[in-house]
Amino acid sequence: MLPSVNEPYRFVEQSLFSLLHKCRLSDHLFQIQSQIIIHGLLQSRRLAPKSAIAFFESSNPQSARQLFDQILQPDTVLWNVMFKGSAEAGLHRETLLLFTQMKRRDVRPNLFTFPFVIKSCSMIPARMAGDQVHCFALKTGLRSNLFVGTSLIEMYAIKVGAGLAYKMFEDMPERNVVVWTAIIRAYIAVGDMKNAFNLFNQLEEHDVIVWGTMISAFIEHGDIATAEELFASMPVRDVQSWNTMLFGYANVDFIGACERFFAIMPVKNVFSWNGLIQGHARHAWCSRLGEMDPFVF
């Protein structure tokens, strides 16, 4: 059988795709992009997203946008790459402008679209933009998706507080531990430990992350005793859980408790040692501060 006309292009496309995957230097990236243009593969649905990702990873969002503007009919995958890259680069207004363009072109978003757009809504002072994205998620039937719903809870918690975030939480037909953790964090963020703890206790199945979230919150609010009780009641503790308590003792200058806790840790990693060192450094600083002449300032 004779090879098809497209086979050489597929081989070149695969070769360039592999090069993009390995590329770490901007100069090499531009050379690969030149080859993509020379071989007439600029509109490739495989290479365009990969090129944009490579530009973002090399801290060059401007080139990613220039590439995107040359694509005649960007698909949802490429749009999502642009949303993710722009949001992670802190270009939140750019992300929302891109989302507006996507709607005008009548490109249908998917469940990976909204979290990055919603994140950008959270980071700029524009409540209306967040509400518009919420409405659009409703129209596309994706608001009840756990991935999208969690992002909306986090957005409302940041922009308007826990009240509206809880309404969003209540309206979700399905709620997993990630969603519960998001609403618990919303109450923690506004200092409402009572409601955060009530929600924590209502949750039937806890994972390590929600345990750590609650323990860290009590530590940050100076309630070491409750943090210790929670830690003791954990059915499974990983090294991160142990480190959470260790840093709690270190941050409140309980150097004795910090040392005793470090000694009984079943597993230690570099963060454990950092916690112990931080505890000693803070204790030395606090002791020195206490010895200073109060009128020296």
Side-chain angles (χ1 to χ4, degrees):
M1 182 183 292
L2 293 174
S4 69
V5 176
N6 289 328
E7 275 191 26
Y9 288 95
R10 289 196 189 115
F11 176 77
V12 173
E13 183 184 58
Q14 181 58 42
S15 299
L16 292 169
F17 186 90
S18 298
L19 288 171
L20 285 169
H21 185 69
K22 298 173 184 176
C23 184
R24 295 293 181 271
L25 300 174
S26 295
D27 290 345
H28 293 173
L29 180 54
F30 284 114
Q31 290 173 16
I32 297 169
Q33 197 62 29
S34 297
Q35 290 300 311
I36 289 172
I37 295 170
I38 289 169
H39 287 89
L41 293 168
L42 183 63
Q43 305 298 322
S44 166
R45 289 184 180 272
R46 288 194 70 205
L47 294 180
K50 196 66 178 176
S51 295
I53 290 170
F55 278 126
F56 280 120
E57 289 180 345
S58 63
S59 302
N60 193 347
Q62 296 84 1
S63 293
R65 181 57 195 262
Q66 289 171 6
L67 166 69
F68 176 79
D69 289 340
Q70 295 176 68
I71 305 303
L72 300 177
Q73 293 182 317
D75 60 9
T76 306
V77 173
L78 182 54
W79 282 101
N80 288 347
V81 167
M82 295 302 298
F83 294 140
K84 180 178 185 292
S86 299
E88 291 181 346
L91 304 172
H92 301 297
R93 293 190 182 277
E94 176 80 3
T95 305
L96 297 183
L97 288 172
L98 280 166
F99 185 66
T100 301
Q101 291 177 25
M102 184 188 197
K103 290 193 294 180
R104 286 175 182 166
R105 293 198 194 185
D106 202 26
V107 179
R108 184 173 178 80
N110 60 24
L111 60 91
F112 299 107
T113 304
F114 287 101
F116 301 113
V117 177
I118 292 167
K119 176 185 176 182
S120 290
C121 289
S122 304
M123 300 307 292
I124 61 174
R127 166 74 185 276
M128 188 178 295
D131 290 342
Q132 289 173 351
V133 173
H134 188 174
C135 289
F136 196 60
L138 278 170
K139 290 178 183 178
T140 54
L142 290 170
R143 189 200 68 164
S144 59
N145 176 271
L146 293 173
F147 198 35
V148 177
T150 302
S151 299
L152 286 168
I153 288 171
E154 291 171 348
M155 179 191 74
Y156 283 123
I158 292 170
K159 295 185 81 67
V160 294
L164 198 51
Y166 185 76
K167 187 177 185 307
M168 179 69 215
F169 170 80
E170 275 192 315
D171 290 344
M172 292 186 67
E174 289 185 59
R175 290 173 287 203
N176 62 8
V177 67
V178 178
V179 177
W180 279 86
T181 304
I183 190 60
I184 288 169
R185 283 176 173 161
Y187 280 103
I188 290 170
V190 297
D192 189 347
M193 292 299 296
K194 181 179 178 181
N195 276 316
F197 198 34
N198 285 339
L199 285 164
F200 176 82
N201 289 326
Q202 290 173 37
L203 182 57
E204 293 180 1
E205 294 184 12
H206 301 75
D207 65 5
V208 173
I209 294 174
V210 73
W211 277 104
T213 298
M214 207 69 244
I215 290 170
S216 296
F218 278 115
I219 289 170
E220 289 173 9
H221 283 78
D223 190 349
I224 293 291
T226 304
E228 289 175 330
E229 289 176 13
L230 277 177
F231 181 80
S233 63
M234 284 184 73
V236 179
R237 306 185 194 103
D238 62 2
V239 66
Q240 183 177 341
S241 308
W242 285 85
N243 286 341
T244 299
M245 277 304 307
L246 181 70
F247 274 90
Y249 289 130
N251 289 334
V252 295
D253 193 27
F254 284 13
I255 190 60
C258 188
E259 289 176 337
R260 290 191 295 273
F261 194 80
F262 181 84
I264 65 171
M265 287 179 68
V267 180
K268 302 177 181 70
N269 59 16
V270 65
F271 297 105
S272 313
W273 285 97
N274 286 343
L276 182 63
I277 293 168
Q278 179 177 312
H280 277 281
R282 182 177 178 83
H283 178 69
W285 182 83
C286 289
S287 299
R288 188 178 171 191
L289 189 64
E291 295 169 358
M292 286 183 178
D293 186 339
F295 299 104
V296 76
F297 300 105

PDB file of all heavy atoms in Angstrom, residues 244-255:
ATOM      1  N   THR A 244       2.369  19.850  60.066  1.00  0.00           N
ATOM      2  CA  THR A 244       1.425  20.935  60.367  1.00  0.00           C
ATOM      3  C   THR A 244       1.451  21.280  61.853  1.00  0.00           C
ATOM      4  O   THR A 244       1.525  22.451  62.235  1.00  0.00           O
ATOM      5  CB  THR A 244      -0.003  20.534  59.951  1.00  0.00           C
ATOM      6  OG1 THR A 244      -0.041  20.295  58.533  1.00  0.00           O
ATOM      7  CG2 THR A 244      -1.004  21.640  60.294  1.00  0.00           C
ATOM      8  N   MET A 245       1.385  20.250  62.693  1.00  0.00           N
ATOM      9  CA  MET A 245       1.440  20.492  64.140  1.00  0.00           C
ATOM     10  C   MET A 245       2.809  21.017  64.564  1.00  0.00           C
ATOM     11  O   MET A 245       2.906  21.912  65.412  1.00  0.00           O
ATOM     12  CB  MET A 245       1.131  19.201  64.906  1.00  0.00           C
ATOM     13  CG  MET A 245      -0.333  18.876  65.083  1.00  0.00           C
ATOM     14  SD  MET A 245      -1.331  20.169  65.878  1.00  0.00           S
ATOM     15  CE  MET A 245      -0.420  20.481  67.377  1.00  0.00           C
ATOM     16  N   LEU A 246       3.861  20.467  63.971  1.00  0.00           N
ATOM     17  CA  LEU A 246       5.212  20.896  64.323  1.00  0.00           C
ATOM     18  C   LEU A 246       5.399  22.392  64.058  1.00  0.00           C
ATOM     19  O   LEU A 246       5.902  23.132  64.908  1.00  0.00           O
ATOM     20  CB  LEU A 246       6.239  20.083  63.525  1.00  0.00           C
ATOM     21  CG  LEU A 246       7.713  20.402  63.798  1.00  0.00           C
ATOM     22  CD1 LEU A 246       8.105  19.931  65.191  1.00  0.00           C
ATOM     23  CD2 LEU A 246       8.603  19.751  62.746  1.00  0.00           C
ATOM     24  N   PHE A 247       4.964  22.840  62.880  1.00  0.00           N
ATOM     25  CA  PHE A 247       5.074  24.267  62.539  1.00  0.00           C
ATOM     26  C   PHE A 247       4.163  25.103  63.434  1.00  0.00           C
ATOM     27  O   PHE A 247       4.461  26.268  63.720  1.00  0.00           O
ATOM     28  CB  PHE A 247       4.737  24.497  61.063  1.00  0.00           C
ATOM     29  CG  PHE A 247       5.908  24.317  60.140  1.00  0.00           C
ATOM     30  CD1 PHE A 247       6.189  23.087  59.588  1.00  0.00           C
ATOM     31  CD2 PHE A 247       6.745  25.382  59.839  1.00  0.00           C
ATOM     32  CE1 PHE A 247       7.274  22.908  58.737  1.00  0.00           C
ATOM     33  CE2 PHE A 247       7.835  25.227  58.995  1.00  0.00           C
ATOM     34  CZ  PHE A 247       8.103  23.984  58.443  1.00  0.00           C
ATOM     35  N   GLY A 248       3.042  24.512  63.860  1.00  0.00           N
ATOM     36  CA  GLY A 248       2.170  25.228  64.792  1.00  0.00           C
ATOM     37  C   GLY A 248       2.882  25.539  66.091  1.00  0.00           C
ATOM     38  O   GLY A 248       2.851  26.673  66.576  1.00  0.00           O
ATOM     39  N   TYR A 249       3.554  24.537  66.657  1.00  0.00           N
ATOM     40  CA  TYR A 249       4.322  24.760  67.881  1.00  0.00           C
ATOM     41  C   TYR A 249       5.445  25.770  67.641  1.00  0.00           C
ATOM     42  O   TYR A 249       5.717  26.632  68.478  1.00  0.00           O
ATOM     43  CB  TYR A 249       4.928  23.444  68.372  1.00  0.00           C
ATOM     44  CG  TYR A 249       3.930  22.467  68.938  1.00  0.00           C
ATOM     45  CD1 TYR A 249       3.905  21.141  68.504  1.00  0.00           C
ATOM     46  CD2 TYR A 249       3.031  22.852  69.922  1.00  0.00           C
ATOM     47  CE1 TYR A 249       2.997  20.224  69.033  1.00  0.00           C
ATOM     48  CE2 TYR A 249       2.114  21.950  70.445  1.00  0.00           C
ATOM     49  CZ  TYR A 249       2.099  20.638  69.998  1.00  0.00           C
ATOM     50  OH  TYR A 249       1.197  19.752  70.523  1.00  0.00           O
ATOM     51  N   ALA A 250       6.100  25.650  66.486  1.00  0.00           N
ATOM     52  CA  ALA A 250       7.218  26.552  66.174  1.00  0.00           C
ATOM     53  C   ALA A 250       6.744  27.999  66.070  1.00  0.00           C
ATOM     54  O   ALA A 250       7.405  28.923  66.564  1.00  0.00           O
ATOM     55  CB  ALA A 250       7.886  26.114  64.871  1.00  0.00           C
ATOM     56  N   ASN A 251       5.585  28.202  65.442  1.00  0.00           N
ATOM     57  CA  ASN A 251       5.105  29.568  65.186  1.00  0.00           C
ATOM     58  C   ASN A 251       4.617  30.288  66.437  1.00  0.00           C
ATOM     59  O   ASN A 251       4.569  31.523  66.459  1.00  0.00           O
ATOM     60  CB  ASN A 251       3.992  29.540  64.139  1.00  0.00           C
ATOM     61  CG  ASN A 251       4.521  29.216  62.754  1.00  0.00           C
ATOM     62  OD1 ASN A 251       5.684  29.469  62.443  1.00  0.00           O
ATOM     63  ND2 ASN A 251       3.668  28.649  61.899  1.00  0.00           N
ATOM     64  N   VAL A 252       4.223  29.515  67.453  1.00  0.00           N
ATOM     65  CA  VAL A 252       3.761  30.173  68.686  1.00  0.00           C
ATOM     66  C   VAL A 252       4.820  30.107  69.775  1.00  0.00           C
ATOM     67  O   VAL A 252       4.546  30.388  70.947  1.00  0.00           O
ATOM     68  CB  VAL A 252       2.431  29.555  69.188  1.00  0.00           C
ATOM     69  CG1 VAL A 252       1.322  29.803  68.193  1.00  0.00           C
ATOM     70  CG2 VAL A 252       2.586  28.064  69.463  1.00  0.00           C
ATOM     71  N   ASP A 253       6.038  29.710  69.382  1.00  0.00           N
ATOM     72  CA  ASP A 253       7.189  29.689  70.301  1.00  0.00           C
ATOM     73  C   ASP A 253       6.990  28.715  71.459  1.00  0.00           C
ATOM     74  O   ASP A 253       7.346  29.010  72.593  1.00  0.00           O
ATOM     75  CB  ASP A 253       7.487  31.104  70.818  1.00  0.00           C
ATOM     76  CG  ASP A 253       8.852  31.176  71.518  1.00  0.00           C
ATOM     77  OD1 ASP A 253       9.732  30.365  71.165  1.00  0.00           O
ATOM     78  OD2 ASP A 253       9.015  32.016  72.422  1.00  0.00           O
ATOM     79  N   PHE A 254       6.392  27.543  71.157  1.00  0.00           N
ATOM     80  CA  PHE A 254       6.348  26.451  72.132  1.00  0.00           C
ATOM     81  C   PHE A 254       7.533  25.542  71.835  1.00  0.00           C
ATOM     82  O   PHE A 254       7.382  24.442  71.330  1.00  0.00           O
ATOM     83  CB  PHE A 254       5.032  25.675  72.010  1.00  0.00           C
ATOM     84  CG  PHE A 254       3.830  26.361  72.585  1.00  0.00           C
ATOM     85  CD1 PHE A 254       3.872  27.708  72.940  1.00  0.00           C
ATOM     86  CD2 PHE A 254       2.644  25.679  72.771  1.00  0.00           C
ATOM     87  CE1 PHE A 254       2.755  28.348  73.462  1.00  0.00           C
ATOM     88  CE2 PHE A 254       1.527  26.305  73.296  1.00  0.00           C
ATOM     89  CZ  PHE A 254       1.579  27.651  73.637  1.00  0.00           C
ATOM     90  N   ILE A 255       8.736  26.027  72.145  1.00  0.00           N
ATOM     91  CA  ILE A 255       9.935  25.315  71.717  1.00  0.00           C
ATOM     92  C   ILE A 255      10.059  23.947  72.385  1.00  0.00           C
ATOM     93  O   ILE A 255      10.497  22.969  71.749  1.00  0.00           O
ATOM     94  CB  ILE A 255      11.205  26.175  71.961  1.00  0.00           C
ATOM     95  CG1 ILE A 255      12.422  25.531  71.299  1.00  0.00           C
ATOM     96  CG2 ILE A 255      11.417  26.409  73.440  1.00  0.00           C
ATOM     97  CD1 ILE A 255      12.309  25.357  69.809  1.00  0.00           C
TER      98      ILE A 255
END
